[in-house]
Amino acid sequence: MTSFKDVFYQYSWQESKEKIYDSTAKDVERALTAPQRSLDDFMALVSPAAAPYLENMAQLSNQLTLQRYGKVIQMYVPLYLSNECNNICTYCGFSYDNKVKRKTLSPMEIMQEVAVIKDMGYNHVLLVTGEANQTVHVDYFEKVLNLIKPHFSHISMEVQPMDVPDYERLIPLGLNTVLVYQETYHQEDYRKHHPKGKKSNFDYRLETPDRLGAAGIHKMGLGVLIGLEDWRTDSFFTALHLSYLEKRYWQSKYSLSFPRLRPFSGGLEPKVNMNDRELVQLICAYRIFNQEVELSLSTRETIAFRNNVLKLGITSMSAGSKTNPGGYAVEPESLEQFEISDERSATEIADMIRKAGYEPVWKDWDSVLNP
């Protein structure tokens, strides 16, 4: 089976990076006025040459988002099931070599967490685990989905990459969306940050969205961890990946996230820092490039930043998040995967969204937009 890997290896990281940094003001202006944007246009929009055009980009991004999504923001919350992990990842609090207490939630503990999440108002939950095939495997996920399906209208997962038969087994049980982040498309740096465990297999992770598409997943999420490598080049490869998937698996929907490296108990310093203006530029570039893709902003970002970028292209936000297993009810004080920046409650975020003139939606909005 052909896959994105066949496309990916036709591109050079260094040549792509040089092309982005060689973009001119004329390239940016062409991208802003083009009726359809190409990957070359995306390169211009994330280039340093686009910085003076940020206000133009923000206005266009807002306009395109309103045309496609209206004034609604989807609300979701992560439910961390386990921090057990067999991978060594230099940037993660759950890394195998990080000496922390490990925990995988039992069915009773899961329902304790679900009760708190439901009280917060959520109908959309994102299940998250480390990657430990001996404990959090497809059998465990099957039990979890059967347990929580009656309580949520939309279930997403961010767990270890699996094979097509595993996804085909879980989708009928209520699995709607799978998020799988490449972390970085820079192969050498990928190896440096993933020295041990199944995640060290760059190609297997790269082909995970193909396996999801083959299994018929409703929606898949892509992204990189900003700070591991040059964010402009990593974002180009994310856009390349998205374009390939949309053409090949056109029946699936897509979302993008852009998490910046946050402090955790291992303390990796970002190789490349991205400031707030640059993150705004990236959000707007993605929206101008692709009006259909959903753009998600997590509680990694500050209160002020999340308030200010709400209207610039974002379509979904998390709120009241805990990034540790049992964080809502069972073990609130256990070690988190990374530090939260926006600690406001779900109610406070929903109020902020309404005050901005938007409507918070507490589940997937397909039924809202397509009754």
Side-chain angles (χ1 to χ4, degrees):
M1 181 184 82
T2 58
S3 71
F4 177 65
K5 184 174 74 171
D6 303 303
V7 175
F8 175 78
Y9 284 109
Q10 295 176 25
Y11 286 79
S12 157
W13 175 279
Q14 188 59 35
E15 290 176 5
S16 300
K17 182 177 181 179
E18 289 171 0
K19 188 171 182 180
I20 291 168
Y21 282 85
D22 286 343
S23 296
T24 65
K26 186 176 181 180
D27 296 324
V28 178
E29 291 167 5
R30 183 192 65 240
L32 288 172
T33 56
Q36 296 282 329
R37 278 90 188 183
S38 65
L39 285 162
D40 283 350
D41 292 327
F42 181 81
M43 284 180 156
L45 292 171
V46 295
S47 73
Y53 295 85
L54 190 57
E55 181 61 34
N56 306 69
M57 291 176 64
Q59 291 177 7
L60 181 55
S61 182
N62 170 258
Q63 174 190 334
L64 293 171
T65 306
L66 289 176
Q67 287 174 0
R68 173 60 182 87
Y69 286 99
K71 291 189 171 185
V72 292
I73 301 292
Q74 181 188 353
M75 301 279 289
Y76 72 95
V77 69
L79 169 53
Y80 277 69
L81 300 172
S82 175
N83 64 1
E84 295 189 64
C85 194
N86 296 332
N87 296 318
I88 293 179
C89 301
T90 62
Y91 48 81
C92 181
F94 294 171
S95 183
Y96 179 79
D97 59 347
N98 202 4
K99 304 305 178 186
V100 299
K101 181 182 176 183
R102 303 292 174 169
K103 182 172 184 61
T104 296
L105 299 184
S106 67
M108 185 177 71
E109 291 171 331
I110 291 169
M111 293 314 298
Q112 288 178 262
E113 297 287 290
V114 166
V116 174
I117 288 171
K118 292 300 293 182
D119 283 345
M120 292 162 69
Y122 282 105
N123 264 320
H124 180 179
V125 67
L126 167 64
L127 305 178
V128 186
T129 70
E131 299 189 12
N133 290 328
Q134 300 92 332
T135 49
V136 283
H137 40 55
V138 67
D139 291 344
Y140 178 79
F141 298 139
E142 182 176 311
K143 291 174 184 176
V144 172
L145 289 172
N146 281 323
L147 193 63
I148 71 170
K149 184 180 179 182
H151 303 280
F152 297 100
S153 61
H154 188 107
I155 301 174
S156 304
M157 291 180 76
E158 184 181 345
V159 300
Q160 73 264 26
M162 293 182 281
D163 295 326
V164 173
D166 297 326
Y167 292 126
E168 290 176 333
R169 182 174 161 187
L170 298 178
I171 289 170
L173 303 179
L175 178 60
N176 184 283
T177 301
V178 173
L179 311 181
V180 55
Y181 303 135
Q182 190 62 29
E183 313 300 7
T184 178
Y185 288 87
H186 189 287
Q187 284 180 275
E188 289 75 18
D189 271 30
Y190 184 94
R191 283 194 289 268
K192 181 177 74 175
H193 291 295
H194 307 97
K196 178 181 172 59
K198 193 172 182 179
K199 194 171 180 177
S200 62
N201 188 332
F202 179 89
D203 287 350
Y204 184 76
R205 194 168 190 89
L206 192 69
E207 293 181 304
T208 304
D210 278 285
R211 296 192 298 276
L212 283 164
I217 195 70
H218 175 73
K219 182 165 65 182
M220 61 183 94
L222 307 176
V224 295
L225 182 56
I226 295 170
L228 296 184
E229 244 301 336
D230 179 75
W231 67 265
R232 303 176 201 272
T233 313
D234 251 337
S235 299
F236 163 72
F237 279 98
T238 306
L240 176 68
H241 205 166
L242 173 66
S243 296
Y244 160 85
L245 291 167
E246 282 190 326
K247 291 183 178 72
R248 176 137 193 198
Y249 307 105
W250 55 270
Q251 292 169 307
S252 293
K253 298 178 183 297
Y254 298 89
S255 69
L256 293 176
S257 298
F258 10 79
R260 289 190 279 190
L261 188 62
R262 289 285 301 159
F264 77 106
S265 60
L268 177 72
E269 290 296 322
K271 177 179 179 179
V272 178
N273 283 299
M274 169 193 258
N275 62 39
D276 287 353
R277 281 183 60 85
E278 290 170 336
L279 183 49
V280 169
Q281 180 183 347
L282 178 60
I283 292 169
C284 294
Y286 274 135
R287 173 57 67 225
I288 295 168
F289 173 66
N290 188 310
Q291 286 82 67
E292 292 296 318
V293 70
E294 298 176 20
L295 300 180
S296 179
L297 194 65
S298 78
T299 53
R300 288 174 180 259
E301 299 302 333
T302 65
I303 291 174
F305 186 83
R306 298 224 305 167
N307 288 357
N308 289 330
V309 303
L310 178 69
K311 300 180 179 182
L312 299 185
I314 300 301
T315 58
S316 65
M317 299 179 80
S318 56
S321 303
K322 302 296 182 182
T323 66
N324 50 315
Y328 299 102
V330 179
E331 288 193 28
E333 301 304 318
S334 64
L335 179 78
E336 294 194 317
Q337 185 184 28
F338 56 86
E339 291 182 12
I340 297 299
S341 187
D342 186 349
E343 296 183 347
R344 287 175 294 179
S345 68
T347 301
E348 289 174 309
I349 295 295
D351 288 344
M352 178 272 289
I353 291 171
R354 291 190 188 96
K355 287 176 182 176
Y358 284 63
E359 182 64 27
V361 176
W362 295 89
K363 60 179 182 179
D364 188 59
W365 47 34
D366 285 354
S367 58
V368 177
L369 297 179
N370 302 297

